[in-house]
């Protein structure tokens, strides 16, 4: 029993140091990479980049450096106030007369990170009144879930509102909804201009729009091709009210769902994977910039207002594993363990195994040092074979563990 408790302590120690040591190393030696901000100029139809690594630099896609005034003048829809103050704001761009209201109406900003997808999801949702007649949206007293039916639960009494549950469930069933729901997607907050309810994927991968209008259920099935399946839907609340949501499919395509006519429009972009990349979408009067930020690259695909690609810019850099600090880490750690990950919202064990065998060099050196320690303590080498194995497999974490809790059970 005592021996078993020692090996249990060794395991805990190895896990602890496999978390702490890599974290201390990367905190001390990692050189963070700041990706550039990429904009698309509606003036000369070229990309302009803002970098903030060693000071702030502004360039075009060819690397030619720009002054601050030159940079701002190429992005009049972003630096409108500054250009107005400088009296350098153009009267028209691309034949369109500049109107401040029009600029504001067409501006949009969207961001989706992988940690939002791989994260705990709520199971209860508030269903707001979409036509309350009030100037602001009010929080309802009940929340709903969709399992074998759509159930509304009173937040004060924790009791199910049977009448409301039957009313909504019946309408869903008549519209062809297959229970339970796979995902429920909306904007569950009162801080929005209006309420448009939720877009729900049922167990048959059908898409439905569900909201409450004057206390009654509004349910509409959205027609989508059979070959398209969505992995994630992110609803938006933009001023132009052109579409309800961005929809990310399982084949890495991106769609928008238009308001009023429920048309599914495919954006002319490639390799959109929100489970791996951070996705940013900036819209203005003329274009949409769809930016994918990966560990070692950034890609900006610029679309016109018809969602057709007009230009693309891509930039790559060395990831941490390919730089000096990463190559040194390959000698130090057989495995790196984390409790949190930048691509996940969960707290759990995240393993990163060494793709090379360079760590064996340090493990062999540490095993040799352990052999000298054992000889100095006049212990039998044969009785310490398990400890040698632990050091060879787990490297520096194993070496610390077996010396933290030395083997005293064999003479």
């Amino acid at each position: 029993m005592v021996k078993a408790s020692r090996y249990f302590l060794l395991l805990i120690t190895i896990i602890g140091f496999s978390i702490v040591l890599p974290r201390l190393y990367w905190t001390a030696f990692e050189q963070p990479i700041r990706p550039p901000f990429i904009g698309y100029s509606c003036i000369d139809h070229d990309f302009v980049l803002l970098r903030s690594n060693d000071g702030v630099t502004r360039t075009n896609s060819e690397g030619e450096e720009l002054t601050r005034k030159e940079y701002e003048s190429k992005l009049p829809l972003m630096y409108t106030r500054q250009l107005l103050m400088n009296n350098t704001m153009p009267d028209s761009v691309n034949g369109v007369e500049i109107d401040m209201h029009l600029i504001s109406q067409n501006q949009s900003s969207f961001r989706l990170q992988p940690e939002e997808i791989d994260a705990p999801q709520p199971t209860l949702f508030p269903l707001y009144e979409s036509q309350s007649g009030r100037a602001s949206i009010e929080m309802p007293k009940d929340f709903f879930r969709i399992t074998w039916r759509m159930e509304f639960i009173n937040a004060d009494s924790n009791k199910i509102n049977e009448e409301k549950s039957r009313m909504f469930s019946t309408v869903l069933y008549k519209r062809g909804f297959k229970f339970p729901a796979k995902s429920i997607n909306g904007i569950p907050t009162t801080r929005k201009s209006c309420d448009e309810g939720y877009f729900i994927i049922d167990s048959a991968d059908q898409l439905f729009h569900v909201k409450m209008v004057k206390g009654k259920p509004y349910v509409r099935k959205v027609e989508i091709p059979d070959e398209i399946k969505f992995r994630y839907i992110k609803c938006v609340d933009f001023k132009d009210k052109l579409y309800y949501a961005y929809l990310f499919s399982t084949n890495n395509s991106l769609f928008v769902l238009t308001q009023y006519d429920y048309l599914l429009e495919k954006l002319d972009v490639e390799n959109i994977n929100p489970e791996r990349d951070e996705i940013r979408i900036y819209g203005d009067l003329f274009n949409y910039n769809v930016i994918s930020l990966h560990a070692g690259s950034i890609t900006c695909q610029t679309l016109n207002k018809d969602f057709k690609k007009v230009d693309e810019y891509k930039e790559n850099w060395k990831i941490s594993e390919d730089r000096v600090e990463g190559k040194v880490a390959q000698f130090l750690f057989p495995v790196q363990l984390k409790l949190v990950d930048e691509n996940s919202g969960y707290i759990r064990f995240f393993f990163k195994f060494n793709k090379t065998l360079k760590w064996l060099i340090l493990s062999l050196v540490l095993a040799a040092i352990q052999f000298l320690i054992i000889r100095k303590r006049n212990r039998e080498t044969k009785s310490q074979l398990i400890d040698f194995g632990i050091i060879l497999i787990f490297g520096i974490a194993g070496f610390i563990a077996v010396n933290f809790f030395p083997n005293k059970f064999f003479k």
Side-chain angles (χ1 to χ4, degrees):
M1 181 61 71
V2 177
K3 296 177 187 177
S5 64
R6 180 195 178 239
Y7 291 122
F8 177 75
L9 291 173
L10 288 179
L11 177 62
I12 298 299
T13 306
I14 290 169
I15 291 173
F17 279 102
S18 294
I19 295 172
V20 172
L21 292 178
R23 184 171 181 179
L24 289 175
Y25 174 82
W26 289 112
T27 301
F29 299 108
E30 186 176 19
Q31 300 295 321
I33 297 294
R34 295 186 180 93
F37 174 79
I38 304 174
Y40 187 76
S41 174
C42 59
I43 300 296
D44 53 13
H45 307 289
D46 188 21
F47 292 101
V48 288
L49 296 90
L50 177 68
R51 305 178 190 275
S52 56
N53 292 322
D54 298 319
V56 178
T57 58
R58 303 167 182 86
T59 64
N60 60 18
S61 60
E62 301 296 326
E64 298 173 358
E65 195 161 339
L66 305 171
T67 66
R68 185 171 185 174
K69 285 187 177 180
E70 288 174 336
Y71 174 80
E72 292 172 349
S73 66
K74 291 179 182 296
L75 299 172
L77 304 182
M78 180 178 295
Y79 295 97
T80 305
R81 292 180 61 190
Q82 185 63 46
L83 297 181
L84 286 172
M85 192 179 75
N86 295 343
N87 292 319
T88 56
M89 185 69 187
D91 295 328
S92 64
V93 176
N94 298 331
V96 178
E97 186 177 344
I98 294 299
D99 177 80
M100 296 304 106
H101 175 73
L102 195 61
I103 291 175
S104 175
Q105 194 77 4
N106 284 272
Q107 280 183 332
S108 63
S109 178
F110 173 84
R111 184 182 183 188
L112 177 62
Q113 296 175 291
E115 64 183 37
E116 297 178 47
I117 299 176
D118 185 31
Q121 302 298 325
T123 55
L124 293 174
F125 301 85
L127 186 63
Y128 305 96
E129 172 56 61
S130 295
Q131 295 183 15
S132 65
R134 306 296 302 172
S136 59
I137 299 173
E138 298 178 348
M139 199 70 182
K141 294 183 179 180
D142 53 22
F143 291 76
F144 77 90
R145 64 189 175 196
I146 301 180
T147 51
W148 64 277
R149 66 169 181 168
M150 188 171 184
E151 288 184 327
F152 288 85
I153 303 170
N154 186 282
D156 294 327
S157 64
N158 205 30
K159 293 182 179 179
I160 294 174
N161 185 330
E162 287 292 343
E163 181 182 355
K164 193 174 182 180
S165 299
R166 282 196 297 267
M167 179 172 60
F168 274 82
S169 298
T170 300
V171 176
L172 279 170
Y173 179 78
K174 288 181 179 179
R175 296 290 187 275
F177 190 93
K178 305 296 182 184
F179 294 91
K182 278 189 176 180
S183 71
I184 301 173
N185 312 276
I187 307 177
T189 175
T190 57
R191 299 181 64 181
K192 51 187 174 182
S193 63
C194 63
D195 178 69
E196 291 294 349
Y198 294 85
F199 288 88
I200 303 172
I201 299 176
D202 70 1
S203 61
D205 290 309
Q206 301 177 107
L207 181 61
F208 291 83
H209 184 197
V210 179
K211 61 181 177 179
M212 183 167 63
V213 180
K214 296 182 179 180
K216 301 297 182 181
Y218 171 93
V219 179
R220 174 162 177 165
K221 181 180 178 181
V222 181
E223 298 298 329
I224 58 176
D226 293 336
E227 68 273 11
I228 296 178
K229 290 183 172 47
F230 296 112
R231 76 169 85 190
Y232 195 74
I233 297 175
K234 185 74 171 180
C235 294
V236 295
D237 182 29
F238 296 146
K239 292 180 182 179
D240 55 14
K241 302 298 179 187
L242 292 178
Y243 45 90
Y244 287 116
Y246 289 113
L247 303 93
F248 300 85
S249 70
T250 54
N251 63 349
N252 295 340
S253 297
L254 175 61
F255 298 81
V256 294
L257 183 65
T258 60
Q259 291 203 25
Y260 310 115
D261 52 8
Y262 289 89
L263 289 179
L264 199 63
E265 296 272 4
K266 185 178 185 297
L267 276 65
D268 186 17
V269 292
E270 301 171 347
N271 298 322
I272 301 298
N273 186 355
E275 294 179 350
R276 182 197 65 184
D277 304 335
E278 179 181 332
I279 308 298
R280 302 175 186 175
I281 305 175
Y282 302 105
D284 59 35
L285 186 59
F286 301 106
N287 300 106
Y288 294 100
N289 282 347
V290 182
I291 298 173
S292 303
L293 185 59
H294 191 45
S297 66
I298 184 171
T299 303
C300 179
Q301 303 177 71
T302 299
L303 315 178
N304 58 23
K305 297 301 279 188
D306 294 323
F307 305 119
K308 302 301 181 184
K309 187 185 295 185
V310 296
D311 209 345
E312 182 175 354
Y313 177 86
K314 185 170 184 178
E315 188 172 310
N316 299 293
W317 56 83
K318 287 185 177 181
I319 59 176
S320 57
E321 286 80 3
D322 295 333
R323 299 197 298 271
V324 174
E325 60 268 29
K327 291 178 180 178
V328 173
Q330 291 176 354
F331 287 94
L332 297 178
F333 309 115
V335 61
Q336 299 179 50
L337 189 58
K338 296 189 293 185
L339 290 177
V340 293
D341 186 79
E342 59 271 12
N343 289 337
S344 177
Y346 286 103
I347 296 177
R348 63 186 182 208
F349 287 124
F350 296 91
F351 294 90
K352 186 177 182 181
F353 294 98
N354 197 325
K355 296 179 182 178
T356 72
L357 295 177
K358 296 176 181 178
W359 55 273
L360 273 175
I361 298 173
L362 180 60
S363 293
L364 289 170
V365 171
L366 293 173
I369 294 173
Q370 184 68 14
F371 176 78
L372 296 175
I373 293 173
I374 291 171
R375 293 295 298 270
K376 190 175 180 180
R377 292 175 178 171
N378 295 321
R379 300 283 172 86
E380 289 185 10
T381 306
K382 214 168 161 186
S383 63
Q384 310 291 325
L385 290 178
I386 294 179
D387 285 5
F388 281 117
I390 290 173
I391 294 172
L392 287 172
I393 294 172
F394 297 105
I396 190 170
F399 177 78
I400 294 173
V402 298
N403 284 283
F404 233 75
F405 300 100
N407 191 347
K408 299 179 179 180
F409 308 114
F410 296 98
K411 297 292 184 183

